[in-house]
Amino acid sequence: MTQQGVRWTADQVLALAPDAASRTAGSKLGAAGPWSEAGSSDEGTVWGLCKGSGSKPYQTVIDVADAAGPAYKCSCPSRKFPCKHALGLLLLWAGGDGAVPSGPAPDWAEQWIKGRRQRADEKRAAGASGSSSGTGDPGAARRRAERRALRVTAGATELEQRLADLLRGGLAGAEQAGYGLWEETAARMVDAQAPGLAARVRELGAIPASGPGWPVRLLEECALLHLLDQGWLGRERLPDGLADTVRSRIGLPASADGPTVRDRWLVLAQYDTADVKLTTRRIWLYGGESGRTALLLSYGAAGRAPELALPVGLTLEAEVSAYPGAGQVRAALGEQFAPPAPTAIRPPGVTTVEATARYGEALRDDPWLDSVPVTLDRVVPTPDGDSWQLADADADTALPLTPAARARPGLWRMVALSGGAPIKVFGECGHRGFTPLTAWPEGAGEAVQLC
């Protein structure tokens, strides 16, 4: 199938937007009015000129055939990727009404796409050469790892003493001390090169005075932090898989050196979380042949979307490799053999009871796990007092939605899709409840993003 025959939906296009403002602005440019000389090629290039506020239109070109997701180039000054012009052009192309006809690309678009693909070929060749040459110094790497392990051990030992002091003085002291106590402790963990410990300490600081029952929640999180500390200090006695999980939770770097799995991966969901320093993108994949669920993580500086973007509901033929750790679902995207394409694949679903059991089983391998990826089959969104839940259509059981899910507009999209009838929902199931990310109607129908 040529790329000209592959048409995305408007939802799949808008899912690529870096933020809500870009989504709104891009939607306004999804009509033919501001565009001229728009066109596309069978190789997967889409281009057009968009009228702006100046005398010269913006030149916008998109490589839709890129196996790792579309790549963009626009002459506008925006620092967002994709910009509103790229989103608008993709929406115009996705409409399939002849507004973006097939034809030869103009010189400015052809030069960009050729240069980009040439650089990609050179990068792959350089990567293959570098991996075979083995120029790194394993001895120096080992010594760096040993020095860092000593720093982490010192940090974990100090943190154990601080937790003991907190419990000895009583949890009420945590509320009186304020957030400064936790920020200073987190800074000490950063100095110890243990970013995972630092992140968990900062989370503790938000618990005191956070509402009824906060001392219980603080004690629970302190216990998990203590368990992680002890896991690191006694890592030589742990099974290999659990020791790898502890290293990952501490924040030590690791390589995706697991077995490579080639499959047609369905893009289940994509969403971003951001803090003042970093934007993290999570992309969930499901292997149609392997039956595996994998998580891709990519990062961007604060205010900038990560480069990797895959349209939800399409499949990608590619290789992925797992990261070390017991029960680890994180993977790295390897070689891609074809661009994203439409599919009829859907992940198999489970009941709400089976979903909670799956989370419980996963905690045996990773006690610090917040949630697991789960697809629920035949559930109905149902109000539950001031909250919402996903009720099993064939049993008297249900899963409550997380507070974050109840605050998102995706809740109402899910309710509208169901209309009181059972639907299939993919999301994350954990101790706070279920967070729906994507849904499908029963029978035929396209995926609907909820995040």
Side-chain angles (χ1 to χ4, degrees):
M1 177 185 293
T2 65
Q3 276 301 308
Q4 186 61 26
V6 176
R7 295 291 178 181
W8 300 354
T9 65
D11 281 347
Q12 288 165 343
V13 172
L14 293 175
L16 303 174
D19 51 41
S22 298
R23 192 175 297 115
T24 300
S27 297
K28 295 178 180 179
L29 294 176
W35 293 96
S36 62
E37 300 182 30
S40 61
S41 72
D42 288 345
E43 288 73 34
T45 308
V46 185
W47 60 84
L49 301 176
C50 186
K51 183 179 180 181
S53 57
S55 59
K56 194 173 183 180
Y58 296 123
Q59 296 177 338
T60 306
V61 57
I62 305 165
D63 182 6
V64 184
D66 190 289
Y72 322 91
K73 173 68 175 180
C74 185
S75 60
C76 76
S78 175
R79 298 182 63 186
K80 297 180 180 180
F81 295 96
C83 66
K84 63 181 181 180
H85 306 101
L87 289 170
L89 181 57
L90 278 176
L91 287 171
L92 191 65
W93 167 78
D97 58 0
V100 186
S102 179
D107 289 343
W108 56 270
E110 187 67 23
Q111 289 174 4
W112 177 77
I113 200 66
K114 282 185 176 180
R116 187 176 182 283
R117 291 177 179 172
Q118 180 179 351
R119 289 191 295 273
D121 291 341
E122 292 171 352
K123 185 177 180 180
R124 282 193 293 269
S129 174
S131 62
S132 61
S133 61
T135 57
D137 182 352
R142 184 182 66 255
R143 290 190 293 273
R144 287 194 299 271
E146 290 172 350
R147 288 195 296 269
R148 181 169 186 177
L150 289 175
R151 293 191 184 97
V152 173
T153 297
T157 302
E158 179 182 348
L159 183 56
E160 282 292 276
Q161 184 60 53
R162 293 191 177 215
L163 289 175
D165 292 344
L166 171 66
L167 296 178
R168 188 179 299 111
L171 295 181
E175 184 177 16
Q176 298 168 0
Y179 191 75
L181 166 69
W182 306 103
E183 185 56 39
E184 191 268 337
T185 303
R188 295 287 296 166
M189 296 305 104
V190 171
D191 293 341
Q193 294 186 288
L197 293 180
R200 286 187 169 269
V201 168
R202 289 193 177 98
E203 291 174 359
L204 292 181
I207 297 177
S210 61
W214 72 261
V216 174
R217 295 193 296 275
L218 180 60
L219 186 60
E220 290 172 346
E221 294 302 322
C222 285
L224 285 173
L225 186 54
H226 166 68
L227 183 64
L228 184 55
D229 269 344
Q230 290 298 313
W232 171 260
L233 296 174
R235 60 192 181 281
E236 294 85 0
R237 300 188 299 273
L238 298 178
D240 290 344
L242 184 56
D244 287 336
T245 298
V246 168
R247 293 187 183 95
S248 173
R249 293 296 181 182
I250 288 287
L252 299 187
S255 300
D257 55 4
T260 299
V261 178
R262 178 171 176 173
D263 207 334
R264 293 187 64 211
W265 298 94
L266 170 64
V267 184
L268 289 171
Q270 173 180 293
Y271 67 96
D272 296 348
T273 56
D275 56 32
V276 294
K277 295 183 178 180
L278 196 67
T279 298
T280 302
R281 174 164 293 166
R282 290 169 170 81
I283 302 177
W284 285 106
L285 304 177
Y286 170 75
E289 297 179 6
S290 64
R292 292 182 54 177
T293 301
L295 174 65
L296 306 180
L297 295 180
S298 58
Y299 303 94
R304 294 179 66 89
E307 290 188 5
L308 181 61
L310 299 176
V312 173
L314 302 187
T315 54
L316 176 71
E317 186 176 357
E319 293 178 341
V320 302
S321 301
Y323 280 82
Q328 179 66 262
V329 293
R330 185 188 173 190
L333 184 64
E335 184 176 358
Q336 300 106 55
F337 304 97
T343 182
I345 296 175
R346 291 187 183 184
V350 300
T351 66
T352 55
V353 172
E354 291 169 332
T356 53
R358 184 171 296 182
Y359 176 57
E361 293 168 359
L363 287 175
R364 292 184 299 188
D365 291 329
D366 185 352
W368 307 277
L369 191 64
D370 286 330
S371 61
V372 293
V374 172
T375 301
L376 298 176
D377 219 0
R378 291 183 52 77
V379 290
V380 181
T382 307
D384 179 27
D386 295 332
S387 183
W388 282 81
Q389 61 185 5
L390 290 175
D392 196 316
D394 303 312
D396 189 21
T397 57
L399 272 175
L401 297 188
T402 59
R406 299 197 299 267
R408 294 175 179 169
L411 168 63
W412 304 110
R413 300 185 72 185
M414 182 174 63
V415 172
L417 177 68
S418 166
I423 56 176
K424 182 189 288 283
V425 182
F426 169 77
E428 297 168 350
C429 180
H431 61 94
R432 295 183 181 89
F434 187 86
T435 301
L437 302 174
T438 308
W440 298 263
E442 284 210 312
E446 297 174 339
V448 175
Q449 276 203 266
L450 308 174
C451 52

